[in-house]
Amino acid sequence: MSSESEPKTSEPGVWVFKNGVMRLVENPGSEQMSTVRWKALMHTPSGKVVSSYSALESELRALGSERYYEDPALLQFHKRGSLDLISLPSDFSHFASVHMYDIVIKNRDSFRVVDF
């Protein structure tokens, strides 16, 4: 199996999996691939890019979030004493920028979306 699979389309741009990291290509028709910007979720304290749900879950649990198992189509996390609920598609290939920014908004000091 190749380390790079076919691009997954989403809004806006194209999601590409490479080396275990999902990246958003904002300009898929660009002739100069060097100008293409990739998006990734980064755990700020460690400086590591989140490349899987298991890594993300570990970081969210360390921040006090607990996981809900009620809906098998979603990964859901909630912090006690907060109204914030993070809902993610169960398939990491559907993890999109809207999910990344939702995590950032609810954990401002711990995550950010970066160009990769």
Side-chain angles (χ1 to χ4, degrees):
M1 184 170 213
S2 168
S3 64
E4 182 172 342
S5 64
E6 292 296 316
K8 306 281 183 181
T9 57
S10 183
E11 57 177 280
V14 176
W15 287 98
V16 177
F17 294 91
K18 184 175 181 181
N19 300 327
V21 178
M22 183 170 70
R23 300 176 186 116
L24 177 62
V25 180
E26 292 181 345
N27 304 313
S30 173
E31 291 186 27
Q32 280 191 318
M33 290 305 287
S34 63
T35 62
V36 174
R37 302 175 86 189
W38 306 77
K39 298 289 184 191
L41 181 66
M42 185 176 83
H43 180 246
T44 309
S46 69
K48 293 181 181 177
V49 171
V50 175
S51 60
S52 70
Y53 276 154
S54 61
L56 177 61
E57 183 173 355
S58 175
E59 298 302 344
L60 289 174
R61 283 183 184 265
L63 293 169
S65 291
E66 57 186 34
R67 184 169 168 197
Y68 290 162
Y69 292 91
E70 295 175 10
D71 187 346
L74 296 172
L75 268 71
Q76 294 184 310
F77 299 93
H78 175 259
K79 275 188 200 173
R80 289 183 187 222
S82 169
L83 297 176
D84 293 336
L85 178 68
I86 297 171
S87 294
L88 308 171
S90 62
D91 184 351
F92 191 73
S93 67
H94 295 114
F95 184 61
S97 61
V98 68
H99 303 114
M100 291 181 194
Y101 285 109
D102 185 40
I103 292 167
V104 169
I105 298 272
K106 295 171 181 168
N107 298 280
R108 292 186 186 273
D109 296 330
S110 299
F111 293 96
R112 65 184 174 136
V113 177
V114 296
D115 291 332
F116 192 73

